[in-house]
Amino acid sequence: MRQTTFFFLAAITATLIIGRPTQAQTPVPLSTPGSAAVQALELGDPFFELVILANPQPTRLSDIEAALQPVPDRRRKFVVDEGIKSSAPGQRRSVISFVGQTIAPSGEVIDLDATVMLSIFFAPGQFPSSENGTEAWGWDDARGRYNYYKLNGNTWMFRGTSSGPEVRNRTGCMSCHLNGSPIMKELLVPWANWHSVSDGIAYLSQPPWNPVAQPIFAPGQLQGAERLEVQIISALRRFHRHEAARAQTPLGGGITRIDNARALLRPVFETTEINIASSSVPTGNLHPFTSSNLGILDPVQIPNTHFLNARVLAQSNFPGSSADGTLNIAAAGQFRNAARVPATVYQDLVTSNALVLASCRGPVPGLQGDAHFAWLHPEPGLFDVTRVEHLLTEKIVDRNFVAAVMAVDLRNPISDVRAELLQFVPEDYQIDASGPLDLHEQTLAALDAAGTALPPSAQLFRDRLRSGNATALLEQDVEAYLAEVTSAFSVPTSAEFDDEVQKQFANLLDRRAAMIAADSVFCGLVEGPLLPVKGN
Amino acid sequence: MFDYNDPSGRDFLGNTAARDFYRAELERVHQQGARVPNSAFTLPEAFSGIDPAQQEPPVVVEWPGFPVTAGQSDATIDANRFLHQDEYVEWETARDAAGNLTVTFTTEFPEYFEAFAKVGFEPLREAIRDVVPDADPTPDELFGPGIAPDALSPEDRADRFRAFRQSNPWNNGEKGVLCLTQQFNTLGALINLLVHCSIARTDVDASQICTLVGGFCGQRRNSDPRISVNVQNAARANLVISAADPVGISIERLGGRWTLDGAEVDIATTSTNGLQHWTLSRNGRRAEFRLPAGLDLRLDNAPVVSGAQLSRVLIVASRVTAASSALVPIWARAGNEPQVPVG
């Protein structure tokens, strides 16, 4: 167990410790869009077309919004903050998205659905609290890339693109947007830390946050994170479509070559981004920002993604997903049914571990307790999950290939052991309408070529790949794993149950600690993480 | 496993799969409660062998549905159901263009509809139609945008149905009202309250028990302190208890003094032009108050303008089965909690 924990920590650290910017990205000022320097950037997204090319360039938020979508009720505002349960004055972050279309000065009709978003900070009655620092991204459909912008004083700056060196170097905006695509770290139900249908934040609609005389949210503008989720997932899928198309070269006869396969298939092997997930059970007064005197009231079902990479393995479970895009192993979605922690036991775990909310600078004095939703944990990011989904549905990879990968280090949802297998994947391979033609063969050849030097993980990968029925074998593995968990959790109050709950909770705390370890990507996020960790 | 009955008295619409999902969920909740050390709470099957003549009458705990914790105006409480209405009863107040007032109350827990959601989208739609006739909900309305519900696992369908209750127009008042949604109005909250407040504490006055169980009892609510003192007294009397089947909260009556055109009337039976003003349905889990525009129907001499106003005289109840410890199996007695599933 100790070794497992160590491996996990090593895994998550290796995954999350990014090359923190070794040299600052040099932003390009956009105040003269016709200049050679700006022309050379080849920008063509809605933000560039509607804001940067406007004369004068808008820098006030209201003017920026009007330039992007003149119709106010087609603007959507979303709010997130780790302390969102507290109505105490402070800053909150808002993401602003748009729906519908806008006609550019050039006459071009521009679709705004998930093609451009803004990020700002605001305070009670002040939206934004300052225009300086306003961030934006826009999708350039012709070039298949996201472009990033930031307002520096009164000057809009170009901050990078998803196809630029910033992604590789992880500098500028890409120190958070690790793959160059939009991020929403608390994706999927219950969208912890966001105003959402799972947790409506009433004070945002009331004075002093939303003054009656000068409301900062027009009627209908403040929306729940469940709606942003759909737009973000749509933005991720669009990115994958273009990335996959870019990697394909038709060879004739219905055969296509997949180029740069290691880059395209990397999310199959490696957790390139993580999301924060949780159960849907509110922790009540275990959360320090909750004013209620009621505590956690319902049993906590430990989420499936605490146990394994369930969003790839199990049935579809997020907007737009289908069983074709997963391994469709039903047992992978049933861990939470087995792993139920009574409310009293969960409360004891929180208090006996003296949980305290901690930022990247350490525990925050006075913030003893848990997150607002129980069992907050990192899970493989939806960027990776939707990439695998796309590869499967487009038959760029097949289920047996993905299953052979997932069999390795199955019990670690985020694993650097699987990541090491990517080296055996060919740089290019061929597919036809039925799926990969030589991916298995080339990968097996590379594995065989390594001879006896293969580590056990790679041997398992090789054996599963060669078996021809890796999906069925993985299903057996998952069912055996589920049976173990079911047995361990079957008798609450038993010693085995206590041991298992303690083990899983310790595992959870290790993962959280790794998330806010110095230099982790989460510490680079603008609003900064605030996670419950073990206290003294 | 105990054969938990349909709380709405609809026999699960004949859908045995939904029935089985519902019973399994109730069983899980009860099994967990029955294992808490020294609690008088036990499984309902513990009472099955008792001679009815020896059975204690059910403990009926009543309270008014007005949310005292809200500290807001009636209009604000009406407008913010999911924030303020925390007494295990919620309502939506609607006034049409002609000025006719309708207030719909519900005490149904979401677990009932989740059981149908686990079976599939179509069974859930049937369950909703059973509550809101002619309802034609779409997957987007019930599960959020972009979801193909029948591609989801049963648990994912139930999860998303639960998560989207506030935006579900068939629940949030836009097109109808289905079930309890406020975050503290949960089945788990009710069972935990029974479980932890029925651990006998003879070192304090029974009325203090609510203050001793931490977050399981809302001290400033109408409901929790009343339930807690009743089950604490039962535990002290060496009784064992369980939530009476069908499990849930029932709407008992609309109290107050009612007058129609100045003459006192019984609101439970009064109708005008064939319109019954107060109707109870779904085994007392749902009620509707209707007031046509211009009708001088008054509550305590005041015109009826809001659901919160009605909630002050709306009496709801929790029923608790009780029996002497001596009459139930040993595993059901406080201090002998079963370590393995029973039944």
Side-chain angles (χ1 to χ4, degrees), chain B residues 76-146:
Chain B
T76 300
I77 293 170
D78 270 19
N80 294 278
R81 167 183 160 202
F82 304 134
L83 182 64
H84 295 310
Q85 299 174 16
D86 66 353
E87 293 284 359
Y88 297 105
V89 57
E90 296 174 18
W91 61 89
E92 285 288 342
T93 305
R95 197 180 286 276
D96 65 18
N100 301 309
L101 177 73
T102 302
V103 183
T104 306
F105 294 92
T106 183
T107 64
E108 294 196 64
F109 286 116
E111 281 80 358
Y112 179 76
F113 297 97
E114 287 171 30
F116 286 89
K118 285 177 182 173
V119 183
F121 168 65
E122 196 54 43
L124 175 61
R125 188 152 68 168
E126 288 304 311
I128 293 171
R129 281 186 181 143
D130 194 49
V131 181
V132 185
D134 303 324
D136 189 22
T138 65
D140 280 11
E141 289 175 330
L142 303 185
F143 302 104

Side-chain angles (χ1 to χ4, degrees), chain A residues 101-276:
Chain A
Q101 297 174 325
T102 294
I103 299 175
S106 64
E108 183 188 358
V109 176
I110 296 180
D111 185 3
L112 300 175
D113 284 308
T115 61
V116 57
M117 290 191 193
L118 306 174
S119 172
I120 57 105
F121 283 93
F122 70 102
Q126 282 184 284
F127 196 96
S129 44
S130 167
E131 261 93 4
N132 186 24
T134 299
E135 296 176 316
W137 60 254
W139 169 252
D140 183 339
D141 198 58
R143 297 171 182 85
R145 71 188 195 198
Y146 288 101
N147 298 325
Y148 290 81
Y149 304 88
K150 188 170 186 176
L151 189 60
N152 185 4
N154 286 316
T155 304
W156 279 107
M157 310 294 286
F158 171 70
R159 301 277 295 179
T161 166
S162 58
S163 60
E166 302 84 7
V167 176
R168 191 171 54 252
N169 299 334
R170 300 205 164 149
T171 54
C173 296
M174 263 50 84
S175 61
C176 296
H177 295 263
L178 296 179
N179 288 293
S181 59
I183 54 169
M184 177 179 174
K185 70 179 189 295
E186 302 92 346
L187 270 171
L188 305 177
V189 177
W191 310 280
N193 305 325
W194 289 82
H195 168 74
S196 76
V197 291
S198 286
D199 189 22
I201 306 300
Y203 69 77
L204 291 173
S205 304
Q206 300 165 354
W209 284 86
N210 197 32
V212 175
Q214 287 185 302
I216 60 176
F217 298 114
Q221 274 192 344
L222 177 61
Q223 301 248 322
E226 69 280 358
R227 293 187 182 274
L228 180 61
E229 166 190 288
V230 176
Q231 292 190 309
I232 294 289
I233 292 174
S234 166
L236 293 176
R237 288 195 169 115
R238 174 202 296 130
F239 188 64
H240 298 318
R241 272 198 308 277
H242 278 262
E243 291 289 295
R246 211 191 310 271
Q248 295 183 43
T249 304
L251 300 178
I255 296 175
T256 298
R257 189 179 69 229
I258 302 296
D259 299 315
N260 299 316
R262 284 184 194 159
L264 189 66
L265 270 55
R266 186 170 157 235
V268 177
F269 293 83
E270 182 179 340
T271 301
T272 66
E273 288 185 11
I274 57 178
N275 284 136
I276 296 177

Side-chain angles (χ1 to χ4, degrees), chain A residues 197-527:
Chain A
V197 291
S198 286
D199 189 22
I201 306 300
Y203 69 77
L204 291 173
S205 304
Q206 300 165 354
W209 284 86
N210 197 32
V212 175
Q214 287 185 302
I216 60 176
F217 298 114
Q221 274 192 344
L222 177 61
Q223 301 248 322
E226 69 280 358
R227 293 187 182 274
L228 180 61
E229 166 190 288
V230 176
Q231 292 190 309
I232 294 289
I233 292 174
S234 166
L236 293 176
R237 288 195 169 115
R238 174 202 296 130
F239 188 64
H240 298 318
R241 272 198 308 277
H242 278 262
E243 291 289 295
R246 211 191 310 271
Q248 295 183 43
T249 304
L251 300 178
I255 296 175
T256 298
R257 189 179 69 229
I258 302 296
D259 299 315
N260 299 316
R262 284 184 194 159
L264 189 66
L265 270 55
R266 186 170 157 235
V268 177
F269 293 83
E270 182 179 340
T271 301
T272 66
E273 288 185 11
I274 57 178
N275 284 136
I276 296 177
S278 70
S279 79
S280 293
V281 176
T283 56
N285 61 10
L286 295 180
H287 180 51
F289 293 124
T290 299
S291 56
S292 167
N293 64 351
L294 286 166
I296 184 168
L297 300 172
D298 293 295
V300 176
Q301 290 179 274
I302 302 178
N304 295 320
T305 51
H306 171 84
F307 293 97
L308 75 184
N309 194 349
R311 300 201 192 281
V312 168
L313 269 64
Q315 291 167 286
S316 65
N317 51 26
F318 53 92
S321 64
S322 72
D324 292 342
T326 76
L327 297 183
N328 203 20
I329 296 173
Q334 293 172 7
F335 282 77
R336 65 173 173 192
N337 295 336
R340 284 176 171 246
V341 182
T344 44
V345 175
Y346 190 81
Q347 181 175 295
D348 289 346
L349 290 168
V350 171
T351 52
S352 64
N353 284 284
L355 291 195
V356 58
L357 297 188
S359 73
C360 295
R361 292 184 294 276
V364 180
L367 293 187
Q368 281 80 13
D370 198 10
H372 174 54
F373 288 105
W375 214 278
L376 198 80
H377 70 286
E379 68 173 21
L382 220 61
F383 176 91
D384 298 326
V385 173
T386 50
R387 172 63 65 85
V388 176
E389 172 195 66
H390 183 81
L391 297 174
L392 283 170
T393 52
E394 294 302 310
K395 297 182 177 173
I396 296 170
V397 296
D398 58 283
R399 276 186 170 152
N400 276 336
F401 186 84
V402 176
V405 178
M406 294 297 158
V408 175
D409 208 16
L410 171 66
R411 300 181 183 208
N412 279 326
I414 298 169
S415 165
D416 66 344
V417 179
R418 285 195 293 275
E420 291 168 358
L421 305 174
L422 183 62
Q423 62 184 298
F424 301 105
V425 172
E427 266 306 321
D428 59 77
Y429 64 96
Q430 295 179 5
I431 64 171
D432 67 9
S434 67
L437 296 173
D438 57 349
L439 174 61
H440 289 226
E441 289 74 8
Q442 287 200 62
T443 305
L444 281 168
L447 286 159
D448 288 340
T452 55
L454 279 182
S457 56
Q459 290 176 33
L460 176 61
F461 177 46
R462 179 196 62 196
D463 294 346
R464 289 296 170 91
L465 206 52
R466 184 159 280 143
S467 73
N469 63 343
T471 309
L473 293 171
L474 180 61
E475 188 165 14
Q476 291 172 15
D477 294 343
V478 174
E479 286 171 352
Y481 183 18
L482 176 62
E484 277 180 41
V485 171
T486 302
S487 172
F489 278 91
S490 64
V491 186
T493 71
S494 70
E496 187 187 13
F497 175 90
D498 287 344
D499 290 348
E500 186 67 17
V501 169
Q502 295 288 348
K503 183 180 83 174
Q504 297 298 347
F505 200 73
N507 194 352
L508 172 68
L509 295 182
D510 283 348
R511 295 179 192 189
R512 286 180 184 166
M515 285 169 72
I516 58 168
D519 295 333
S520 81
V521 65
F522 277 86
C523 296
L525 289 172
V526 282
E527 74 273 27

Side-chain angles (χ1 to χ4, degrees), chain B residues 204-216:
Chain B
V204 296
D205 188 86
S207 63
Q208 298 299 305
I209 193 66
C210 188
T211 66
L212 300 176
V213 294
F216 292 121

